[in-house]
Amino acid sequence: MKKTSILLGVFLICLLMLSGTQMAIPDQKDTLPEKVAALYTANFYKFQREVDSLAALVNRATSVNEWEGLKRQVDKTRLGYKEIEFIFDYYQTSYNTTYINGAPLPKVSEYFEAEKVIPPGGLQALDEAVYGEASNENLQHLQVLANGLKERVDFIAKIHLPVHLKSSQIIECIRSGIVRIFTLGLTGYDTPGSVSGLKESITGWKSMETTFLYFESGMAPEARAQFEAIKEHFAKGRKKLNAHTTFNEFDRLAFLKEVVNPLYAALLEFQNVNKIVLEPYKKHAQNYKAKNIFDIDFLNTDFYSELVYQPLDNPKTIALGKLLFRDPQLSKDNVMACISCHNPNKGFSDGLPKSVSNQKGVFTARNAPTLIDAGYSTRYFWDMRALDLEKQVIHVIDNDLEFNTNFDAIINKLNKNNVYNELFKEAYGGIAKEDINQRSISNAIAAYVNSLKSFNSPFDKYVRNETKEYPENAKRGFNLFMGKAACGSCHFAPVFNGTVPPFYLESESEVLGITQGFDSIVPKLDTDLGRMGNGLKLDNRPFLKNSFKTVTVRNVAFTAPYMHNGLFATLDDVLAFYNLGGGAGMGLKVENQTLPETPLNLTQQEMEDIIAFMETLSDVPEYGGRGD
């Protein structure tokens, strides 16, 4: 009996040892998405522990003497997040930008806490606060931020995990992550206080590289060349990011041409060779079939016009819209047309500080911005009052100083024209009882405006390797624009407007402290309320006072003067204003200025280099020729 017991005990021990051995070996049947999900989950919990440590540390802190320790923990927490961001933001974009790592500004989210102002919070707010003044007041603010972040991360962990991935979506996460690092990390957008974008970009880069390597075990044999090329691109990018250069010294243009664009293209090729079908998790503007982030099809403007009367890419409606764009019949007394304020030969602007009105000697309230690339946006007009291009047309027709008419009058005029009757029938026949109606007129003009796209400039050709020639001062200017000067942290690549990467779901506005005249000695703040006064309940907020849409800087060489009030006659003046720190930097009390008030300390040569770069973003003459 004793012998039997001993044998049974030995058997049980062996069984337990065998079970333990089996548990220690990864299940060979695990699919690639499951392996990536396991790594992601482990990294998420690692980030959560860092958040817990931060909250505990800041709650124990009793004086500013512990500030350096708080800085280190904020840095560790942010680096922990960078390991998961490229996947987390893909699946939880709205939650991320609202609570975890959005801009450190108050906002009103359409997804959370409807119509309530959500105060600044999350990792960017922590970065800004801990690298600000070491004071007891700021310490209390850090406690609020850290505890708020812990609450949000604990909540999202319960509903977000376990995460279910697909192979195509993993590749999309990585490709979007590359765009994010280039447009948000390396510009300083993500680190408003520490400006440690290089260090954080290295962490994110390595995490994406590690994730991609999981594809090796199950890939098609014919994809080996693409796999090895991607490994080389990742290694080259890691080497450049690790080159121990400072934030201002980093060569972003070389990184774009030699790493970002080749890697972005190679990942698509790898996906195609492996026959991994696109299965996007959600709708957004980034087109995963594009090979280069400066391809004209990198962003899909159809995303911004889903609810229009008819898709805006119809050649018939575009041609009709072009005719309507020039036709003064759309205005009362036939005195104005769209082209009156948006002249193709002036970059679809008008060259005036404020546009002429339908009354002699009277001007409108604001400057006419270019219409080129207008389609890459979620909001329209300087005050962002229109939600799509069709509605933009309505505002112009109703305006007392512009067309000053109504659609019934316009429809009556167009119905008397046989050419228009035929064109509207071809473009819109059978959709409604009458072919010429408010929606069809607005849609045709919107379709024409949406067709005005500019991705064929000298800069675009250079970064797509279509030409080897590019001015040295413009190269320096691009690196300044995307780095030291911080232009790229508001004017996001590739459109260089305020639509935020990497998914381009939201267009931003900024409070710059624009003055009534460019007088740095006795400046006076412009009185235009901007977005706060646009008539939308959602935007009637004090923090949106004097806030205006961030428009594209493409074709700026043709669209002077600049800003909503046409304040600056030259780009030199614009750069000088930014270099001073905007209105607040000039000594004005500007509530909620989003532009840092600290001087940029740009030299005269550096400002000239930035202008040289912006001038290479011009390709409007093609449109000018077609607009004659």
mmCIF file of all heavy atoms in Angstrom, residues 203-230:
data_model
loop_
_atom_site.group_PDB
_atom_site.id
_atom_site.type_symbol
_atom_site.label_atom_id
_atom_site.label_comp_id
_atom_site.label_asym_id
_atom_site.label_seq_id
_atom_site.Cartn_x
_atom_site.Cartn_y
_atom_site.Cartn_z
ATOM 1 N N THR A 203 10.283 54.685 -28.751
ATOM 2 C CA THR A 203 9.520 53.642 -28.064
ATOM 3 C C THR A 203 8.383 53.129 -28.936
ATOM 4 O O THR A 203 8.180 51.918 -29.072
ATOM 5 C CB THR A 203 8.961 54.182 -26.731
ATOM 6 O OG1 THR A 203 10.043 54.575 -25.892
ATOM 7 C CG2 THR A 203 8.135 53.131 -26.019
ATOM 8 N N GLY A 204 7.625 54.049 -29.526
ATOM 9 C CA GLY A 204 6.530 53.641 -30.401
ATOM 10 C C GLY A 204 7.025 52.875 -31.614
ATOM 11 O O GLY A 204 6.410 51.890 -32.042
ATOM 12 N N TRP A 205 8.139 53.322 -32.168
ATOM 13 C CA TRP A 205 8.720 52.678 -33.351
ATOM 14 C C TRP A 205 9.115 51.238 -33.048
ATOM 15 O O TRP A 205 8.804 50.319 -33.805
ATOM 16 C CB TRP A 205 9.941 53.489 -33.811
ATOM 17 C CG TRP A 205 10.456 53.123 -35.162
ATOM 18 C CD1 TRP A 205 11.464 52.244 -35.461
ATOM 19 C CD2 TRP A 205 9.985 53.630 -36.418
ATOM 20 N NE1 TRP A 205 11.650 52.172 -36.819
ATOM 21 C CE2 TRP A 205 10.770 53.011 -37.428
ATOM 22 C CE3 TRP A 205 9.000 54.544 -36.776
ATOM 23 C CZ2 TRP A 205 10.576 53.293 -38.783
ATOM 24 C CZ3 TRP A 205 8.807 54.810 -38.123
ATOM 25 C CH2 TRP A 205 9.588 54.194 -39.113
ATOM 26 N N LYS A 206 9.803 51.035 -31.928
ATOM 27 C CA LYS A 206 10.239 49.690 -31.543
ATOM 28 C C LYS A 206 9.053 48.767 -31.302
ATOM 29 O O LYS A 206 9.090 47.588 -31.645
ATOM 30 C CB LYS A 206 11.107 49.761 -30.290
ATOM 31 C CG LYS A 206 12.488 50.356 -30.496
ATOM 32 C CD LYS A 206 13.259 50.394 -29.184
ATOM 33 C CE LYS A 206 14.654 50.956 -29.375
ATOM 34 N NZ LYS A 206 15.389 51.073 -28.084
ATOM 35 N N SER A 207 7.997 49.291 -30.707
ATOM 36 C CA SER A 207 6.818 48.470 -30.440
ATOM 37 C C SER A 207 6.154 48.018 -31.736
ATOM 38 O O SER A 207 5.738 46.860 -31.868
ATOM 39 C CB SER A 207 5.823 49.260 -29.584
ATOM 40 O OG SER A 207 4.743 48.454 -29.199
ATOM 41 N N MET A 208 6.080 48.912 -32.721
ATOM 42 C CA MET A 208 5.513 48.536 -34.019
ATOM 43 C C MET A 208 6.414 47.525 -34.727
ATOM 44 O O MET A 208 5.927 46.585 -35.357
ATOM 45 C CB MET A 208 5.311 49.779 -34.885
ATOM 46 C CG MET A 208 4.231 50.714 -34.379
ATOM 47 S SD MET A 208 3.817 52.033 -35.548
ATOM 48 C CE MET A 208 5.356 52.952 -35.611
ATOM 49 N N GLU A 209 7.703 47.699 -34.616
ATOM 50 C CA GLU A 209 8.654 46.771 -35.229
ATOM 51 C C GLU A 209 8.506 45.380 -34.626
ATOM 52 O O GLU A 209 8.435 44.379 -35.346
ATOM 53 C CB GLU A 209 10.077 47.292 -35.016
ATOM 54 C CG GLU A 209 11.160 46.424 -35.632
ATOM 55 C CD GLU A 209 12.551 47.000 -35.395
ATOM 56 O OE1 GLU A 209 12.700 47.899 -34.529
ATOM 57 O OE2 GLU A 209 13.487 46.544 -36.065
ATOM 58 N N THR A 210 8.449 45.300 -33.300
ATOM 59 C CA THR A 210 8.278 44.011 -32.616
ATOM 60 C C THR A 210 6.989 43.334 -33.050
ATOM 61 O O THR A 210 6.951 42.125 -33.297
ATOM 62 C CB THR A 210 8.259 44.223 -31.091
ATOM 63 O OG1 THR A 210 9.500 44.797 -30.681
ATOM 64 C CG2 THR A 210 8.039 42.906 -30.353
ATOM 65 N N THR A 211 5.929 44.102 -33.160
ATOM 66 C CA THR A 211 4.639 43.558 -33.577
ATOM 67 C C THR A 211 4.700 43.017 -34.995
ATOM 68 O O THR A 211 4.191 41.926 -35.281
ATOM 69 C CB THR A 211 3.550 44.637 -33.472
ATOM 70 O OG1 THR A 211 3.438 45.058 -32.111
ATOM 71 C CG2 THR A 211 2.204 44.128 -33.962
ATOM 72 N N PHE A 212 5.326 43.771 -35.895
ATOM 73 C CA PHE A 212 5.390 43.312 -37.282
ATOM 74 C C PHE A 212 6.134 41.990 -37.404
ATOM 75 O O PHE A 212 5.771 41.143 -38.248
ATOM 76 C CB PHE A 212 6.065 44.349 -38.174
ATOM 77 C CG PHE A 212 6.287 43.847 -39.564
ATOM 78 C CD1 PHE A 212 5.221 43.730 -40.454
ATOM 79 C CD2 PHE A 212 7.539 43.421 -39.979
ATOM 80 C CE1 PHE A 212 5.411 43.221 -41.727
ATOM 81 C CE2 PHE A 212 7.737 42.913 -41.254
ATOM 82 C CZ PHE A 212 6.671 42.810 -42.134
ATOM 83 N N LEU A 213 7.144 41.755 -36.608
ATOM 84 C CA LEU A 213 7.953 40.534 -36.724
ATOM 85 C C LEU A 213 7.127 39.271 -36.504
ATOM 86 O O LEU A 213 7.525 38.186 -36.936
ATOM 87 C CB LEU A 213 9.130 40.582 -35.745
ATOM 88 C CG LEU A 213 10.182 41.663 -36.040
ATOM 89 C CD1 LEU A 213 11.280 41.644 -34.984
ATOM 90 C CD2 LEU A 213 10.775 41.491 -37.436
ATOM 91 N N TYR A 214 5.974 39.390 -35.859
ATOM 92 C CA TYR A 214 5.105 38.230 -35.672
ATOM 93 C C TYR A 214 4.595 37.688 -37.012
ATOM 94 O O TYR A 214 4.164 36.535 -37.096
ATOM 95 C CB TYR A 214 3.910 38.594 -34.791
ATOM 96 C CG TYR A 214 4.194 38.575 -33.317
ATOM 97 C CD1 TYR A 214 4.576 39.737 -32.651
ATOM 98 C CD2 TYR A 214 4.081 37.400 -32.569
ATOM 99 C CE1 TYR A 214 4.832 39.738 -31.291
ATOM 100 C CE2 TYR A 214 4.329 37.394 -31.208
ATOM 101 C CZ TYR A 214 4.713 38.558 -30.574
ATOM 102 O OH TYR A 214 4.971 38.555 -29.222
ATOM 103 N N PHE A 215 4.606 38.514 -38.052
ATOM 104 C CA PHE A 215 4.105 38.070 -39.355
ATOM 105 C C PHE A 215 5.026 37.039 -40.013
ATOM 106 O O PHE A 215 4.613 36.369 -40.968
ATOM 107 C CB PHE A 215 3.944 39.274 -40.295
ATOM 108 C CG PHE A 215 2.674 40.054 -40.084
ATOM 109 C CD1 PHE A 215 2.655 41.148 -39.230
ATOM 110 C CD2 PHE A 215 1.498 39.689 -40.710
ATOM 111 C CE1 PHE A 215 1.501 41.878 -39.025
ATOM 112 C CE2 PHE A 215 0.327 40.401 -40.518
ATOM 113 C CZ PHE A 215 0.323 41.499 -39.658
ATOM 114 N N GLU A 216 6.240 36.905 -39.540
ATOM 115 C CA GLU A 216 7.192 36.011 -40.210
ATOM 116 C C GLU A 216 6.734 34.558 -40.203
ATOM 117 O O GLU A 216 6.892 33.844 -41.197
ATOM 118 C CB GLU A 216 8.563 36.115 -39.555
ATOM 119 C CG GLU A 216 9.627 35.259 -40.246
ATOM 120 C CD GLU A 216 11.026 35.517 -39.721
ATOM 121 O OE1 GLU A 216 11.164 36.051 -38.601
ATOM 122 O OE2 GLU A 216 11.989 35.184 -40.429
ATOM 123 N N SER A 217 6.142 34.095 -39.098
ATOM 124 C CA SER A 217 5.828 32.670 -38.969
ATOM 125 C C SER A 217 4.758 32.187 -39.939
ATOM 126 O O SER A 217 4.786 31.039 -40.360
ATOM 127 C CB SER A 217 5.387 32.370 -37.528
ATOM 128 O OG SER A 217 4.226 33.110 -37.201
ATOM 129 N N GLY A 218 3.841 33.038 -40.319
ATOM 130 C CA GLY A 218 2.749 32.565 -41.168
ATOM 131 C C GLY A 218 2.678 33.196 -42.538
ATOM 132 O O GLY A 218 1.679 33.038 -43.251
ATOM 133 N N MET A 219 3.730 33.897 -42.950
ATOM 134 C CA MET A 219 3.633 34.624 -44.215
ATOM 135 C C MET A 219 3.855 33.690 -45.413
ATOM 136 O O MET A 219 4.433 32.604 -45.286
ATOM 137 C CB MET A 219 4.664 35.748 -44.252
ATOM 138 C CG MET A 219 6.096 35.294 -44.332
ATOM 139 S SD MET A 219 7.232 36.695 -44.334
ATOM 140 C CE MET A 219 8.808 35.846 -44.400
ATOM 141 N N ALA A 220 3.389 34.129 -46.576
ATOM 142 C CA ALA A 220 3.604 33.378 -47.807
ATOM 143 C C ALA A 220 5.088 33.403 -48.172
ATOM 144 O O ALA A 220 5.757 34.422 -47.973
ATOM 145 C CB ALA A 220 2.774 33.986 -48.936
ATOM 146 N N PRO A 221 5.640 32.296 -48.699
ATOM 147 C CA PRO A 221 7.064 32.256 -49.053
ATOM 148 C C PRO A 221 7.470 33.378 -50.002
ATOM 149 O O PRO A 221 8.571 33.921 -49.894
ATOM 150 C CB PRO A 221 7.212 30.886 -49.718
ATOM 151 C CG PRO A 221 6.107 30.062 -49.150
ATOM 152 C CD PRO A 221 4.971 31.005 -48.939
ATOM 153 N N GLU A 222 6.575 33.756 -50.918
ATOM 154 C CA GLU A 222 6.906 34.793 -51.892
ATOM 155 C C GLU A 222 6.960 36.190 -51.268
ATOM 156 O O GLU A 222 7.341 37.158 -51.934
ATOM 157 C CB GLU A 222 5.914 34.791 -53.055
ATOM 158 C CG GLU A 222 4.455 34.913 -52.683
ATOM 159 C CD GLU A 222 3.769 33.569 -52.467
ATOM 160 O OE1 GLU A 222 4.444 32.607 -52.047
ATOM 161 O OE2 GLU A 222 2.552 33.501 -52.717
ATOM 162 N N ALA A 223 6.573 36.311 -49.984
ATOM 163 C CA ALA A 223 6.601 37.608 -49.310
ATOM 164 C C ALA A 223 7.905 37.839 -48.540
ATOM 165 O O ALA A 223 8.057 38.866 -47.883
ATOM 166 C CB ALA A 223 5.415 37.727 -48.355
ATOM 167 N N ARG A 224 8.842 36.883 -48.634
ATOM 168 C CA ARG A 224 10.084 36.989 -47.879
ATOM 169 C C ARG A 224 10.853 38.263 -48.216
ATOM 170 O O ARG A 224 11.369 38.946 -47.317
ATOM 171 C CB ARG A 224 10.951 35.756 -48.136
ATOM 172 C CG ARG A 224 12.378 35.816 -47.590
ATOM 173 C CD ARG A 224 12.424 36.025 -46.090
ATOM 174 N NE ARG A 224 11.811 34.938 -45.348
ATOM 175 C CZ ARG A 224 11.781 34.878 -44.021
ATOM 176 N NH1 ARG A 224 12.283 35.892 -43.298
ATOM 177 N NH2 ARG A 224 11.202 33.868 -43.402
ATOM 178 N N ALA A 225 10.912 38.627 -49.488
ATOM 179 C CA ALA A 225 11.678 39.821 -49.887
ATOM 180 C C ALA A 225 11.071 41.071 -49.269
ATOM 181 O O ALA A 225 11.797 41.937 -48.756
ATOM 182 C CB ALA A 225 11.711 39.943 -51.403
ATOM 183 N N GLN A 226 9.742 41.161 -49.295
ATOM 184 C CA GLN A 226 9.079 42.321 -48.707
ATOM 185 C C GLN A 226 9.290 42.350 -47.187
ATOM 186 O O GLN A 226 9.509 43.413 -46.599
ATOM 187 C CB GLN A 226 7.574 42.300 -49.018
ATOM 188 C CG GLN A 226 7.215 42.650 -50.436
ATOM 189 C CD GLN A 226 7.360 41.458 -51.383
ATOM 190 O OE1 GLN A 226 7.599 40.330 -50.941
ATOM 191 N NE2 GLN A 226 7.213 41.705 -52.673
ATOM 192 N N PHE A 227 9.239 41.171 -46.573
ATOM 193 C CA PHE A 227 9.442 41.089 -45.125
ATOM 194 C C PHE A 227 10.828 41.593 -44.741
ATOM 195 O O PHE A 227 10.976 42.378 -43.795
ATOM 196 C CB PHE A 227 9.252 39.645 -44.656
ATOM 197 C CG PHE A 227 9.422 39.450 -43.178
ATOM 198 C CD1 PHE A 227 8.371 39.700 -42.309
ATOM 199 C CD2 PHE A 227 10.639 39.025 -42.648
ATOM 200 C CE1 PHE A 227 8.532 39.534 -40.934
ATOM 201 C CE2 PHE A 227 10.809 38.856 -41.280
ATOM 202 C CZ PHE A 227 9.741 39.105 -40.423
ATOM 203 N N GLU A 228 11.840 41.158 -45.470
ATOM 204 C CA GLU A 228 13.207 41.574 -45.165
ATOM 205 C C GLU A 228 13.394 43.068 -45.420
ATOM 206 O O GLU A 228 14.102 43.758 -44.670
ATOM 207 C CB GLU A 228 14.204 40.761 -45.996
ATOM 208 C CG GLU A 228 14.246 39.278 -45.656
ATOM 209 C CD GLU A 228 14.652 39.021 -44.212
ATOM 210 O OE1 GLU A 228 15.453 39.807 -43.670
ATOM 211 O OE2 GLU A 228 14.161 38.030 -43.630
ATOM 212 N N ALA A 229 12.750 43.575 -46.469
ATOM 213 C CA ALA A 229 12.846 45.015 -46.760
ATOM 214 C C ALA A 229 12.228 45.833 -45.632
ATOM 215 O O ALA A 229 12.775 46.865 -45.214
ATOM 216 C CB ALA A 229 12.155 45.330 -48.082
ATOM 217 N N ILE A 230 11.086 45.370 -45.115
ATOM 218 C CA ILE A 230 10.425 46.079 -44.016
ATOM 219 C C ILE A 230 11.299 46.053 -42.768
ATOM 220 O O ILE A 230 11.417 47.064 -42.059
ATOM 221 C CB ILE A 230 9.036 45.463 -43.748
ATOM 222 C CG1 ILE A 230 8.100 45.775 -44.919
ATOM 223 C CG2 ILE A 230 8.438 45.990 -42.443
ATOM 224 C CD1 ILE A 230 6.793 45.024 -44.892
#
